[in-house]
Amino acid sequence: MTTLVWVIVVVVALVAVAAVGYVVVQQQRRGHLRARFGPEYERVMAEYDSRRDAERDLMAREQRHAELDIRPLHEDARDAYAHRWAEVQERFVDAPGFAVTEADQLVTAVMAERGYPTENFEQRLADLSVAHATTLDHYRAAHGISGRAARQEASTEELRQAMVHYRALFEELLQETTRGRERHGQR
């Protein structure tokens, strides 16, 4: 009888250790995702009915991003894009709607040259969320205003805000170097 009691105690202890280990791993994963995705983590949590599904989505984003060939821009390309951005900003004075459209196209061009797929806006957001989560809301806002501008439904102030929003992501995409990629655990 005492052997049976000891077996039960050991089994219960092992189950308890396994349960604690599971909780610790879940908390570590959650902490990693929060740190990696920043404000995007909470937005995705609100989008799903369960935390598990939301975190599964974020982990799938990480996996997809790891499979992409994301690379820094060469110095010449960075300089050329910076020059093009300055030209777009200058055109804003005379043609703000056109300048916002150009800014959107320029951000997309930088993304493409860096190795991000650019066919679908929602997929662009998901791909960018892994390494650029802090500027993702800027990109969403700018893209929304750009869509209204295309329909001539945006005020000049909204167009100015779109330029500011685009610039936040543009500068981040332009300035990320190989060292910045290593910080994100990429090579």
Side-chain angles (χ1 to χ4, degrees):
M1 189 67 158
T2 55
T3 306
L4 181 61
V5 171
W6 279 110
V7 169
I8 292 172
V9 167
V10 169
V11 169
V12 168
L14 288 174
V15 168
V17 167
V20 168
Y22 177 78
V23 169
V24 167
V25 167
Q26 295 299 316
Q27 291 299 325
Q28 287 176 339
R29 181 186 65 193
R30 188 164 293 135
H32 161 76
L33 291 173
R34 275 194 173 121
R36 180 79 184 243
F37 288 94
E40 184 70 2
Y41 178 87
E42 295 303 326
R43 194 194 69 68
V44 172
M45 288 298 132
E47 195 175 286
Y48 282 88
D49 292 334
S50 78
R51 180 180 299 274
R52 175 177 285 178
D53 290 343
E55 289 180 349
R56 199 173 286 139
D57 177 13
L58 294 172
M59 289 186 297
R61 291 180 188 195
E62 281 184 317
Q63 179 64 38
R64 176 178 160 81
H65 189 271
E67 294 169 2
L68 297 174
D69 182 24
I70 306 299
R71 56 202 171 275
L73 294 173
H74 293 286
E75 188 175 337
D76 292 341
R78 261 197 313 271
D79 292 344
Y81 281 121
H83 179 74
R84 286 177 59 194
W85 182 262
E87 290 174 343
V88 169
Q89 286 185 304
E90 288 174 13
R91 277 194 283 284
F92 181 83
V93 174
D94 295 323
F98 182 69
V100 167
T101 300
E102 278 188 298
D104 182 58
Q105 292 168 350
L106 190 55
V107 166
T108 303
V110 171
M111 288 173 56
E113 188 161 338
R114 295 274 321 271
Y116 287 98
T118 59
E119 304 81 44
N120 175 293
F121 179 70
E122 291 302 318
Q123 188 61 56
R124 275 185 267 167
L125 289 173
D127 292 340
L128 285 170
S129 71
V130 178
H132 302 282
T134 57
T135 55
L136 211 52
D137 284 339
H138 286 289
Y139 188 42
R140 275 189 186 94
H143 188 76
I145 294 169
S146 181
R148 289 196 310 275
R151 296 183 306 275
Q152 298 183 341
E153 298 172 354
S155 70
T156 303
E157 176 56 23
E158 288 175 313
L159 296 172
R160 186 194 66 75
Q161 289 172 359
M163 292 296 290
V164 170
H165 290 310
Y166 276 127
R167 184 175 56 221
L169 178 60
F170 178 80
E171 288 176 350
E172 190 172 300
L173 287 169
L174 218 59
Q175 297 306 319
E176 188 174 68
T177 63
T178 304
R179 186 176 341 169
R181 295 177 70 224
E182 290 168 359
R183 192 180 37 213
H184 289 295
Q186 304 166 349
R187 289 201 160 79

